[in-house]
Amino acid sequence: MATVAISAVNLVQYTFTSWMPTLLVKQGLNVVHSLGFSAVMMAGAPLGALIGAILVDRIGRKTVIVPAFIITAILGLIYAQQRQIAWVLIVGFCLVTTIYILMASIVSVYMSELFPTYFRFRGAGYANAVAKILTVLTPYLVAWALTRVNANLIFYFMATVAIIAAIVVAVMGPETKQRTIN
């Protein structure tokens, strides 16, 4: 569970935030503006982390994580269709916000709570290692999509990863809120 959740959030977060300027250029925005737009959209990161930190304890881990993955998938698909600057910024800001709700909820809370205390460090380390290996492979997929297919394939990839993670967490993930950790 930890490997699926952390891998999905890392793949989505890294793919979108690291490639955002390039994706904006592919949408027809010039480089100077794309870097400024990236900065505006990344302002959603601290907001999302704050929202995630507040909600995860108030309403539960799965109750935050599953809808946030679904909303991330939907916003990613909507973002791919945007051509007007205002909507690129608005949807991009919302997308970054939901990604960082996931980052705060999964990375900071949920992942470690999935393991008993005696195995927590190794379990979280293993899950993070798998996620990082997948993240290292992602630039090759992105570069291939940008040169051979269409930039929208990247958003379809992110949406698919987010939906699969939402289903896995919803069906198999335990709710760890107020659960005694050994």
Side-chain angles (χ1 to χ4, degrees), residues 64-89:
V64 172
I65 293 167
V66 172
F69 268 130
I70 294 167
I71 292 168
T72 296
I74 293 167
L75 287 173
L77 295 174
I78 292 170
Y79 182 86
Q81 304 308 312
Q82 299 312 306
R83 298 297 177 259
Q84 294 180 1
I85 292 171
W87 286 109
V88 166
L89 291 172

Side-chain angles (χ1 to χ4, degrees), residues 8-120:
V9 74
N10 277 357
L11 285 170
V12 169
Q13 183 271 341
Y14 172 78
T15 303
F16 186 70
T17 59
S18 297
W19 289 88
M20 192 184 313
T22 304
L23 297 172
L24 289 169
V25 168
K26 284 289 188 181
Q27 289 177 321
L29 302 169
N30 74 38
V31 177
V32 173
H33 291 115
S34 73
L35 293 174
F37 294 160
S38 294
V40 169
M41 288 184 271
M42 286 306 296
L47 177 63
L50 177 64
I51 292 169
I54 291 168
L55 290 180
V56 79
D57 279 334
R58 291 208 175 137
I59 65 173
R61 282 67 165 142
K62 283 177 66 168
T63 310
V64 172
I65 293 167
V66 172
F69 268 130
I70 294 167
I71 292 168
T72 296
I74 293 167
L75 287 173
L77 295 174
I78 292 170
Y79 182 86
Q81 304 308 312
Q82 299 312 306
R83 298 297 177 259
Q84 294 180 1
I85 292 171
W87 286 109
V88 166
L89 291 172
I90 292 167
V91 177
F93 178 87
C94 293
L95 178 56
V96 169
T97 301
T98 59
I99 290 170
Y100 277 86
I101 289 171
L102 288 166
M103 292 295 286
S105 302
I106 294 169
V107 175
S108 301
V109 180
Y110 191 63
M111 182 177 55
S112 62
E113 290 180 349
L114 293 170
F115 301 101
T117 304
Y118 71 89
F119 189 72
R120 185 164 299 136

